[in-house]
Amino acid sequence: MVAETDTLVPVWALTTEPVSVPSVLDEAGMTPARLTELRTVLAALADAPVATLEAHPVPAARERTGGIALHAASPLAQQLSQLVAQTAKAAPAKINVAETGEVLYRMVVPAKVAAQVGKGLVTPMTSKAVAGGVYSALRDSTGIVAKATFVPVAGKAAVAGAATGSAATAGAAVASAGALTVAAPLVLMAVAVAVAAHADHERQKAIERITDLLEQLHEDSLDAERNNLDGCRDAIDKATAILLDQGRIGHSLGLDSSTFEINKAIEATRRRLTKWQAALDGLPEGPVEVGTLTKSFPGIDEDGGTFRAHLELARLAIALKRRVLVLQAVEHAQLDDNPFKRFLGELHDDERRVNELEAGISSVLLKLSTLELKRHGGFRIPAFTPGEVDDLLEAAYRLRAFGQELNLAMQPTDVAIEIERRKDGSLLVFPAIAA
């Protein structure tokens, strides 16, 4: 349900370094469609990434889960507050950007940047009301929140040091042309927390599925593998909190040992992937006997099965690895004069290897989902028994499900990061979704 209203919502255009673009922002209001067009124009004209930041009232009911909480003294919270304070005087009188109540900020990062911060990071917000539907706007429990008119806001004076300072420098500065605000640390922190939240959300889902599988399998070795990986979470959470407060990670946190466990799991996943790929390459042309398939993919025709447990362990290891990559990228970015550019550079190489591993697993699952099955001995007489028919159909349905669960490559899309600001100034940053 969509309701059109005349609500006015402030919007900022944020850059990560000073850029010069034609003046495309004015004080006149704009519709959501116009704002989308504006983002496209800014992404094309500006050499540096240009993100937009909107400020909405918090909906009465929220369905988003899996966010990372930050206290009011955190750099991201302080940078948001300083941005609003610096631009409040420049805002049209009809909107109050300095309001101290609960606010839902929505930062939209260009697709060309989003593509660098995690393959499969962005998925549409699925609608529970309509099968196959997705949400493209802010919403509450009843549907899409009433659409608003956006009013551009630009600061009038620069805050010293923010444009060229390190990530430890809070605040914002205004570029020399147009109505763009330079706020590299703000964009860096928002992207980093959203990526970490997304990775932890994936970790939670993998843990839930692994737990259910291991209760059926009773395999001590897989159970130990799960425990070793999930035991890394505490150190990663503490390191995330320290880095996002712009501190330094010490050895006492145990992040080094956690990273070692994650890397071991990643290498185990690579070995398993190699075996799965070789097994698929060795299958004969045409329909495959279920028994032949289960030799290389044990339990694939069952409700649980060792193969599915290995698959979920791989997803868990990848999710944890992504969180570590974000931590390492933020840590290095804080030492550089252009933190956002350094952040993307640090993510690139290791992220590429993780993306390749994930793509390899997806390729295996896609091939499995397209296999044709036959019973032992083929389709010759005597005819199938009812039990054989049921078993074959169930196995075929389970294989098809692998393909349905995949997030196949989509066209690059802008990333939306939602940040809920409480009355006490604390934040809750949600996993990134498609804008």
Side-chain angles (χ1 to χ4, degrees):
M1 179 176 70
V2 179
E4 298 291 346
T5 73
D6 294 326
T7 304
L8 297 177
V9 173
V11 58
W12 295 261
L14 309 178
T15 66
T16 59
E17 59 187 89
V19 293
S20 178
V21 297
S23 183
V24 291
L25 291 175
D26 54 46
E27 292 187 1
M30 64 182 73
T31 63
R34 171 64 178 150
L35 182 61
T36 301
E37 293 173 358
L38 174 64
R39 282 198 296 261
T40 303
V41 171
L42 290 174
L45 294 178
D47 294 330
V50 178
T52 56
L53 180 68
E54 310 157 18
H56 300 258
V58 175
R62 295 283 288 153
E63 292 186 16
R64 298 292 304 279
T65 58
I68 290 181
L70 300 174
H71 53 72
S74 65
L76 180 55
Q78 291 179 343
Q79 288 160 22
L80 274 176
S81 297
Q82 290 184 26
L83 175 68
V84 172
Q86 289 294 325
T87 56
K89 295 180 181 180
K94 50 194 172 183
I95 60 172
N96 180 14
V97 300
E99 192 176 49
T100 57
E102 293 189 344
V103 181
L104 182 66
Y105 292 99
R106 189 172 192 256
M107 181 182 290
V108 180
V109 180
K112 63 182 180 181
V113 174
Q116 301 178 63
V117 294
K119 185 176 181 181
L121 170 68
V122 182
T123 55
M125 188 186 295
T126 307
S127 169
K128 296 180 180 178
V130 181
V134 298
Y135 291 109
S136 62
L138 298 171
R139 65 188 176 96
D140 60 18
S141 58
T142 62
I144 299 176
V145 174
K147 291 184 177 179
T149 297
F150 297 95
V151 180
V153 179
K156 295 298 185 182
V159 176
T164 57
S166 70
T169 305
V174 179
S176 58
L180 305 182
T181 302
V182 180
L186 175 59
V187 179
L188 162 67
M189 285 296 175
V191 171
V193 182
V195 174
H198 173 82
D200 194 58
H201 185 61
E202 294 299 304
R203 181 201 65 81
Q204 291 176 27
K205 291 195 298 184
I207 280 292
E208 291 171 2
R209 291 190 292 253
I210 292 171
T211 300
D212 291 340
L213 289 171
L214 294 185
E215 285 177 354
Q216 302 173 42
L217 290 174
H218 303 291
E219 294 235 1
D220 292 339
S221 60
L222 295 179
D223 198 41
E225 198 170 336
R226 184 267 316 263
N227 291 338
N228 288 341
L229 280 175
D230 203 35
C232 301
R233 180 193 174 187
D234 187 54
I236 292 175
D237 285 347
K238 289 177 181 176
T240 301
I242 288 175
L243 271 182
L244 294 179
D245 285 341
Q246 294 172 345
R248 292 291 178 263
I249 299 176
H251 292 290
S252 60
L253 286 179
L255 188 61
D256 289 346
S257 59
S258 295
T259 302
F260 176 67
E261 289 293 339
I262 294 168
N263 288 340
K264 283 200 307 182
I266 290 291
E267 290 306 314
T269 297
R270 285 199 176 96
R271 287 195 298 273
R272 286 167 181 160
L273 175 60
T274 300
K275 291 180 180 179
W276 296 339
Q277 290 170 331
L280 284 174
D281 291 341
L283 291 177
E285 295 290 334
V288 179
E289 290 185 5
V290 175
T292 301
L293 196 60
T294 56
K295 288 179 182 178
S296 301
F297 303 92
I300 196 172
D301 60 330
E302 302 170 1
D303 190 31
T306 302
F307 172 70
R308 281 181 168 79
H310 285 162
L311 191 60
E312 295 305 331
L313 284 168
R315 288 170 174 161
L316 175 58
I318 288 172
L320 289 169
K321 181 66 174 178
R322 290 200 188 282
R323 284 204 67 179
V324 170
L325 290 178
V326 172
L327 290 178
Q328 293 170 339
V330 171
E331 187 174 29
H332 283 86
Q334 289 178 347
L335 306 175
D336 195 82
D337 285 342
N338 189 326
F340 191 74
K341 186 176 292 186
R342 179 71 176 267
F343 172 73
L344 293 180
E346 289 293 333
L347 268 182
H348 181 68
D349 290 338
D350 284 338
E351 181 96 345
R352 176 180 52 78
R353 288 190 285 270
V354 175
N355 287 343
E356 288 173 354
L357 177 62
E358 196 168 39
I361 294 173
S362 295
S363 177
V364 166
L365 295 179
L366 188 60
K367 289 179 180 178
L368 285 171
S369 72
T370 60
L371 289 179
E372 295 182 50
L373 297 181
K374 64 180 180 181
R375 67 172 180 175
H376 179 69
F379 297 107
R380 67 180 187 277
I381 301 176
F384 284 94
T385 66
E388 287 177 327
V389 171
D390 290 343
D391 290 343
L392 199 60
L393 283 175
E394 286 180 8
Y397 289 147
R398 290 192 177 100
L399 288 186
R400 299 295 176 269
F402 284 131
Q404 295 168 359
E405 293 170 2
L406 291 177
N407 288 325
L408 298 178
M410 301 179 294
Q411 290 293 325
T413 181
D414 294 347
V415 167
I417 300 167
E418 293 186 0
I419 306 170
E420 188 175 295
R421 183 181 184 274
R422 311 284 175 72
K423 289 182 179 179
D424 61 1
S426 63
L427 305 178
L428 183 61
V429 184
F430 295 98
I433 57 173

